[in-house]
Amino acid sequence: MRYCYFNGKILPFEETKIGINDLGLLRAYAAFDYLRTYNGKPFRWHDHYSRFKNSALELNLPFGYSEHELQQIIEQLLVKSEKVDACIRLILTGGYSEDSMTIAEPNFIIAIEDLPMSNPEMYENGVKLITCEYLRDVPPAKSTGYLNAIKLQPMKLEHNAFDILYTWRGEVLEITRNNFFIFKNNVLITPVDNILHGITRKVVLELAKSNFTIEERRVDVAELQDADEAFLCGTTKKAIPVVEIDAYKIADGKVGENTKIIMALFDEYVQNY
Amino acid sequence: MRYCYFNGKILPFEETKIGINDLGLLRAYAAFDYLRTYNGKPFRWHDHYSRFKNSALELNLPFGYSEHELQQIIEQLLVKSEKVDACIRLILTGGYSEDSMTIAEPNFIIAIEDLPMSNPEMYENGVKLITCEYLRDVPPAKSTGYLNAIKLQPMKLEHNAFDILYTWRGEVLEITRNNFFIFKNNVLITPVDNILHGITRKVVLELAKSNFTIEERRVDVAELQDADEAFLCGTTKKAIPVVEIDAYKIADGKVGENTKIIMALFDEYVQNY
């Protein structure tokens, strides 16, 4: 059984309900974060807590929990759910609003979720992305705003793609729920503006800096076709090679050697976390 | 007591709850519509029903209710809530998703709400708007996506403005929850692309066509300063004169004569609805 935390109580996830006048439901007004554990320990908890707190601040939502307090709640949820490793979803909504527009006392949810099944083939052979012109609302805040990501799922399936790479006015941004990197002449390059700053992105940059020169900068769409390698990264995906974007292959369509180094560094890091 | 309809049942609004794994809450994935009654009758029900059905279609959400069936449910809710006139909120969510991304069987809510208090001063003296660069996600669909509108509320209060007028790449679009019009040389001009096509907007255009030449077209931001008159319209607001935008006044800052004609036509229309 999966458990969740809801406004001070620990409850079975499937039985936990929220009033329909919550601003998260009525107006898509909610801060969000998502993390996983490795070896039973919330991965980079300090980073996730800080980002969630910042998203709440960006959305003018009061949030009083300390980093330590929340970590203890997460640990209780893992024990009660009888899980060593799991994913953890944090949602802080605009609360039960009187007029459906004014922020009220936030409702706060922490839900424990099963780790998604991993597909080794993606890591061995790489995946395909398709591009789509889109800029998320309030890019610096992680919110529940994934309308566009879900709406585009049929297009993704139609093109037999793994996910969608957002571009905006000629600039490469991010994937629906992940960050994106390319290698060019052994330099690791990744967008820096108008994206959500993923914690996995941060870890990749930390791990890569002793092996590669790093450029965090604007990436033009035109650079995609010239890239030597590409990969994506995210909480549940670690680093996955990208070998095809829209109608063209990245380099020769094979997983790049530098990408393999990143994948190995990441695996080593989480094994010992 | 206010009542709502939730997946086939009529329940007291305040006691109605939805599971926290609903895609409307987790991913802001929900179609939305909003209407009011005049003289106990849902105003332009056919138009609202058609738009809601189209929003559901845009979001790939199955929706099987007929126009007549829904109207009967709304009438039952009004009787049970002991209201002659009220506002009606329709929400169709992505349902209880197994993986937090895949659309499931939608949850459907109809909620009865009190009519907002009307402020006669706004109609007599007009209101101020401030502009902000923003394009809604999936513009042709009315969704619950109002993150930006709520986030901007403090800025609105700070500027002592009534609401926010969205502009995009030099083009005037719409207000957070309303449509926008100007008069120039007695021609009624309103944006037509990248906006939500309001039902009140439609009624205004129907009523205005015997008195004015109408242009539904791209409106440049530069045209705002040269406008002779401006107004906004929406479900609960009817037509409200706009006399100030950002730092400048529209014409002499007084309510325009043509706008008064529109307001009178609208009042007459709803009185006899």
Side-chain angles (χ1 to χ4, degrees):
Chain A
M1 179 116 89
R2 294 194 289 149
Y3 282 82
C4 69
Y5 175 88
F6 183 54
N7 295 338
K9 285 190 185 135
I10 289 182
L11 303 161
F13 180 78
E14 308 293 343
E15 293 168 25
T16 305
K17 292 177 190 304
I18 191 165
I20 59 168
N21 56 330
D22 179 80
L23 274 191
L25 181 73
L26 294 183
R27 298 294 192 180
Y29 204 79
F32 168 51
D33 219 291
Y34 197 67
L35 67 153
R36 62 160 289 176
T37 62
Y38 282 106
N39 311 314
K41 194 176 158 196
F43 186 63
R44 304 286 292 222
W45 170 240
H46 173 70
D47 291 313
H48 281 282
Y49 173 82
S50 303
R51 185 174 68 180
F52 187 58
K53 208 170 156 138
N54 182 62
S55 298
L57 190 71
E58 282 275 343
L59 301 184
N60 307 310
L61 296 174
F63 184 65
Y65 290 86
S66 74
E67 187 175 330
H68 179 66
E69 194 177 358
L70 272 195
Q71 187 172 351
Q72 284 187 316
I73 296 168
I74 290 170
E75 280 161 12
Q76 277 177 53
L77 286 173
L78 288 169
V79 170
K80 187 124 176 138
S81 301
E82 295 177 351
K83 288 194 189 302
V84 176
D85 284 321
C87 288
I88 300 143
R89 185 181 297 271
L90 308 174
I91 296 179
L92 185 73
T93 76
Y96 299 134
S97 178
E98 284 292 318
D99 62 358
S100 312
M101 276 301 281
T102 308
I103 292 168
E105 192 185 345
N107 285 306
F108 180 44
I109 300 163
I110 309 176
I112 296 294
E113 300 183 0
D114 290 326
L115 292 176
M117 298 285 275
S118 177
N119 177 356
E121 209 205 329
M122 297 188 310
Y123 298 89
E124 279 160 35
N125 301 332
V127 298
K128 176 186 174 175
L129 300 177
I130 51 172
T131 59
C132 180
E133 181 88 353
Y134 180 65
L135 176 70
R136 286 186 308 109
D137 285 5
V138 198
K142 193 169 174 83
S143 76
T144 53
Y146 289 83
L147 183 82
N148 203 60
I150 294 182
K151 183 178 157 56
L152 293 175
Q153 294 298 302
M155 185 177 91
K156 187 188 86 172
L157 295 174
E158 200 181 298
H159 288 83
N160 204 21
F162 176 70
D163 213 331
I164 294 137
L165 176 61
Y166 291 142
T167 60
W168 188 247
R169 301 181 178 193
E171 191 173 344
V172 177
L173 298 183
E174 59 194 339
I175 296 160
T176 60
R177 294 157 291 160
N178 299 116
N179 289 116
F180 180 76
F181 297 76
I182 56 172
F183 273 108
K184 181 70 187 175
N185 300 328
N186 297 316
V187 176
L188 180 60
I189 305 163
T190 192
V192 67
D193 291 325
N194 291 320
I195 61 160
L196 188 84
H197 282 253
I199 309 304
T200 314
R201 176 185 181 279
K202 186 179 176 184
V203 174
V204 163
L205 293 176
E206 283 173 14
L207 296 173
K209 74 179 172 199
S210 52
N211 295 60
F212 302 103
T213 304
I214 292 170
E215 291 180 7
E216 291 186 77
R217 60 159 172 86
R218 179 191 161 102
V219 178
D220 288 320
V221 171
E223 291 179 75
L224 293 176
Q225 296 211 37
D226 286 331
D228 297 332
E229 304 183 23
F231 67 94
L232 61 87
C233 80
T235 291
T236 59
K237 303 187 182 86
K238 302 188 287 186
I240 298 182
V242 173
V243 294
E244 208 177 332
I245 299 178
D246 293 335
Y248 51 89
K249 291 202 179 345
I250 299 293
D252 58 358
K254 298 216 170 69
V255 175
E257 292 307 314
N258 290 335
T259 300
K260 285 181 190 168
I261 295 172
I262 299 288
M263 289 161 69
L265 286 169
F266 203 95
D267 277 340
E268 193 192 338
Y269 181 70
V270 300
Q271 231 155 37
N272 305 317
Y273 191 78
Chain B
M1 179 114 91
R2 296 192 289 147
Y3 283 83
C4 69
Y5 175 88
F6 184 56
N7 295 339
K9 286 190 184 135
I10 289 182
L11 303 161
F13 179 77
E14 308 293 343
E15 294 168 26
T16 305
K17 293 177 191 304
I18 190 164
I20 59 168
N21 56 330
D22 179 80
L23 274 191
L25 181 73
L26 295 184
R27 298 293 194 182
Y29 205 79
F32 168 52
D33 220 289
Y34 199 67
L35 67 152
R36 61 160 290 173
T37 63
Y38 283 106
N39 311 314
K41 195 177 158 196
F43 185 63
R44 303 286 293 223
W45 170 240
H46 173 71
D47 291 312
H48 281 282
Y49 173 81
S50 304
R51 185 174 66 178
F52 187 58
K53 208 171 153 131
N54 183 62
S55 298
L57 190 70
E58 281 275 344
L59 300 184
N60 307 310
L61 296 174
F63 184 65
Y65 290 85
S66 75
E67 186 175 331
H68 179 66
E69 193 177 358
L70 271 197
Q71 187 172 351
Q72 284 186 317
I73 296 169
I74 290 169
E75 281 161 11
Q76 277 177 53
L77 285 174
L78 288 168
V79 169
K80 186 125 177 140
S81 303
E82 294 178 351
K83 289 193 189 303
V84 177
D85 284 321
C87 288
I88 300 142
R89 186 181 297 271
L90 308 174
I91 296 179
L92 184 74
T93 76
Y96 299 134
S97 178
E98 284 292 317
D99 62 358
S100 314
M101 278 301 283
T102 308
I103 293 169
E105 193 186 343
N107 285 307
F108 180 43
I109 301 163
I110 309 176
I112 296 294
E113 300 183 0
D114 291 328
L115 292 175
M117 298 286 274
S118 178
N119 177 356
E121 210 204 328
M122 297 188 310
Y123 298 89
E124 279 159 34
N125 301 332
V127 298
K128 176 185 175 176
L129 300 177
I130 51 172
T131 58
C132 181
E133 181 89 353
Y134 180 67
L135 176 70
R136 286 187 308 106
D137 286 4
V138 197
K142 195 170 173 82
S143 77
T144 52
Y146 289 85
L147 183 82
N148 204 58
I150 294 182
K151 183 177 157 56
L152 293 175
Q153 294 298 302
M155 185 176 92
K156 187 189 87 172
L157 296 174
E158 199 181 297
H159 288 83
N160 205 19
F162 176 71
D163 213 331
I164 294 138
L165 176 61
Y166 292 141
T167 60
W168 189 246
R169 301 181 178 192
E171 192 173 344
V172 177
L173 298 184
E174 59 193 338
I175 297 161
T176 60
R177 293 156 292 161
N178 300 117
N179 289 116
F180 180 76
F181 297 77
I182 57 172
F183 273 109
K184 180 71 186 174
N185 301 328
N186 297 317
V187 176
L188 180 60
I189 304 163
T190 193
V192 66
D193 291 324
N194 291 320
I195 61 162
L196 188 85
H197 282 252
I199 309 305
T200 314
R201 175 185 180 279
K202 185 179 178 184
V203 173
V204 163
L205 293 175
E206 283 174 15
L207 295 173
K209 72 180 174 200
S210 51
N211 295 59
F212 303 102
T213 305
I214 291 170
E215 292 180 6
E216 291 186 78
R217 60 159 171 86
R218 179 191 161 102
V219 178
D220 287 320
V221 172
E223 291 180 75
L224 292 177
Q225 297 211 38
D226 286 332
D228 296 333
E229 303 182 23
F231 67 95
L232 61 88
C233 80
T235 292
T236 59
K237 303 188 181 85
K238 302 188 289 188
I240 298 182
V242 173
V243 294
E244 208 177 333
I245 298 178
D246 293 334
Y248 51 89
K249 291 201 178 347
I250 299 293
D252 59 358
K254 298 217 172 66
V255 175
E257 292 307 315
N258 290 336
T259 301
K260 286 182 188 166
I261 294 172
I262 299 288
M263 288 161 69
L265 288 168
F266 202 95
D267 277 340
E268 193 193 340
Y269 180 70
V270 299
Q271 230 154 37
N272 305 318
Y273 192 77

